[in-house]
Amino acid sequence: MPRQLSAKRRAGVVVERLAASYPGSAAELCALAHGDPFELLVATILSAQCTDARVNEVTPRLFAAYRGPAELAGADPAALEELIRSTGFFRAKAASLLGMSAALVERFACEVPQAIDDLVTLPGVGRKTANVVRSVAFGVPGLPVDTHVKRLSKRLGLTVHEDPEKIETDLCALVPKAEWGALSLRLILHGRAVCVARRPRCGECVLADVCPSASL
DNA sequence: ATCCCGAGGG
DNA sequence: CCCTCTGGAT
């Protein structure tokens, strides 16, 4: 396989091989534990600059203590902060969870909206989090760009940009809509297991022969 | 550009 | 010790 492929063809190879390495739907590939759209939204807000494993440690207690947006909106801020402390940024995240829950109660009849323009109006919800909820909980095409997707996209030569929104535009143009959500999750899984931030393990990477950054 | 912030790995 | 982890708001 030639290394000088067009970005379009290289993206095709990436989609194909990652699907073989990490089979399953977007919902099945998502590592954040959740029972419904609201819980996924909460877990995703907590996942900022934090491992999913740590998020999954706190969410069971969190969802047992506060069931649904109405209960979470009424949580004692100090108690909430203590529950989520280990995920980091705990004051800001607690404020986001309280504000997001209140907004669902007040503006969205206690339901998580599907429209991206609605989702991003919620406190603590940016484009990445909105895309996670859409693609995983609702099965709507969306391509979340997080730290892993950004790093792998640049290494694989699928984008030259730094801005996550521009990276999203580039990737969406290279890949069929139906693949967006699963591709994002697979890039995350691959970024965690093989194409790690510090010392990528190119020797055991199924994409090494088409990767402009591969060092063997 | 900067701040928010804890925890684990190397 | 430094880097990284499914970012968002100012």
Side-chain angles (χ1 to χ4, degrees), chain A residues 17-42:
Chain A
R17 294 202 189 149
L18 289 186
S21 297
Y22 311 97
S25 65
E28 292 165 344
L29 292 165
C30 181
L32 292 169
H34 59 281
D36 57 57
F38 175 70
E39 291 190 356
L40 178 64
L41 177 54
V42 171

Side-chain angles (χ1 to χ4, degrees), chain A residues 43-68:
Chain A
T44 308
I45 288 173
L46 292 178
S47 73
Q49 299 295 294
C50 172
T51 61
D52 56 342
R54 187 155 304 282
V55 173
N56 290 338
E57 282 177 26
V58 314
T59 46
R61 279 174 290 164
L62 188 61
F63 298 145
Y66 310 105
R67 299 172 176 278

Side-chain angles (χ1 to χ4, degrees), chain A residues 140-192:
Chain A
V140 178
L143 206 162
V145 176
D146 72 320
T147 178
H148 293 293
V149 175
K150 175 179 177 179
R151 182 180 68 251
L152 270 66
S153 297
K154 288 175 64 75
R155 284 180 177 169
L156 286 163
L158 302 180
T159 186
V160 296
H161 292 111
E162 292 289 331
D163 175 26
E165 199 161 333
K166 290 183 180 175
I167 296 175
E168 181 186 335
T169 301
D170 286 342
L171 293 181
C172 286
L174 290 170
V175 172
K177 256 189 198 181
E179 305 289 340
W180 290 355
L183 174 63
S184 175
L185 273 315
R186 287 176 180 132
L187 287 172
I188 291 170
L189 293 175
H190 196 61
R192 207 162 61 186

Side-chain angles (χ1 to χ4, degrees), chain A residues 58-97:
Chain A
V58 314
T59 46
R61 279 174 290 164
L62 188 61
F63 298 145
Y66 310 105
R67 299 172 176 278
E71 289 190 15
L72 189 55
D76 172 58
L80 180 56
E81 286 180 4
E82 201 48 45
L83 264 177
I84 66 171
R85 170 180 276 275
S86 65
T87 66
F89 298 155
F90 62 92
R91 291 188 197 87
K93 287 177 181 175
S96 292
L97 293 182

